[in-house]
Amino acid sequence: MKSQLLIALVFSIFLAGCQTSGVLLRETPLGVSETRKVIMSVIGEVREVSENGRELFSKYYDRKGNPIQSMDMAKERYYSHLIVLGDRRPYDISVEVMVEARDSDGGWELVDRDDHKAQVLADKLKKALNQSRDSRNVIDDFRSF
């Protein structure tokens, strides 16, 4: 009985360590370049894009989602981090909203992740991805006429 309890405890600790934050959109219908365009239409101008174009960072914004005008006055800032996952279609998209706060040296440090804002952003992105798929001008092999 004690060995079963020990195994259950170790297993639960292992699973608790595997939890990730953010939201994962599964099996999105578009290619990488089209997905990137849709992401940029939802989050606006990006601050940084990875070399392969699959990782995008939004510009900094405040708690209400407004752009930060003066970074010198801000005590905390948010940004969205989106990653297109997978080596071929359909792709998954990881959506995270990071919260940074000023540290004692005047720099910035990551203090939290906002899963609620990530879910709201993921819902907007999912809607935009579906609209983009519906508006594409592609010939359907099954219904050519």
Side-chain angles (χ1 to χ4, degrees):
M1 183 67 177
K2 288 185 180 184
S3 64
Q4 291 176 343
L5 184 61
L6 180 63
I7 291 171
L9 178 64
V10 170
F11 188 70
S12 65
I13 291 172
F14 175 76
L15 288 179
C18 294
Q19 293 177 352
T20 59
S21 62
V23 179
L24 187 65
L25 293 176
R26 295 208 175 268
E27 299 185 1
T28 59
L30 304 178
V32 174
S33 62
E34 293 169 312
T35 300
R36 187 174 42 250
K37 288 176 188 174
V38 172
I39 289 171
M40 291 171 71
S41 74
V42 171
I43 67 172
E45 188 178 338
V46 294
R47 176 174 46 96
E48 185 179 344
V49 178
S50 68
E51 192 172 309
N52 65 3
R54 291 177 174 240
E55 193 170 2
L56 296 98
F57 297 87
S58 73
K59 292 200 170 194
Y60 297 112
Y61 52 92
D62 64 14
R63 182 180 309 230
K64 296 178 183 176
N66 301 320
I68 296 177
Q69 301 300 328
S70 173
M71 204 58 73
D72 297 335
M73 302 298 291
K75 294 180 181 177
E76 72 175 6
R77 64 187 184 184
Y78 291 70
Y79 67 91
S80 303
H81 180 206
L82 296 99
I83 306 172
V84 179
L85 304 168
D87 56 348
R88 64 186 134 179
R89 268 197 265 194
Y91 297 105
D92 295 339
I93 302 174
S94 170
V95 180
E96 293 182 304
V97 174
M98 313 297 216
V99 182
E100 292 183 334
R102 285 246 187 234
D103 60 12
S104 58
D105 299 332
W108 296 94
E109 69 176 297
L110 181 66
V111 293
D112 198 9
R113 289 175 169 82
D114 191 332
D115 289 338
H116 177 70
K117 286 187 187 308
Q119 183 63 55
V120 170
L121 179 59
D123 290 342
K124 288 180 186 176
L125 183 59
K126 187 174 184 177
K127 184 178 179 183
L129 284 166
N130 289 333
Q131 285 176 348
S132 178
R133 181 186 65 188
D134 293 341
S135 66
R136 288 191 309 174
N137 189 13
V138 177
I139 296 173
D140 189 348
D141 294 337
F142 300 110
R143 296 180 290 157
S144 57
F145 297 103

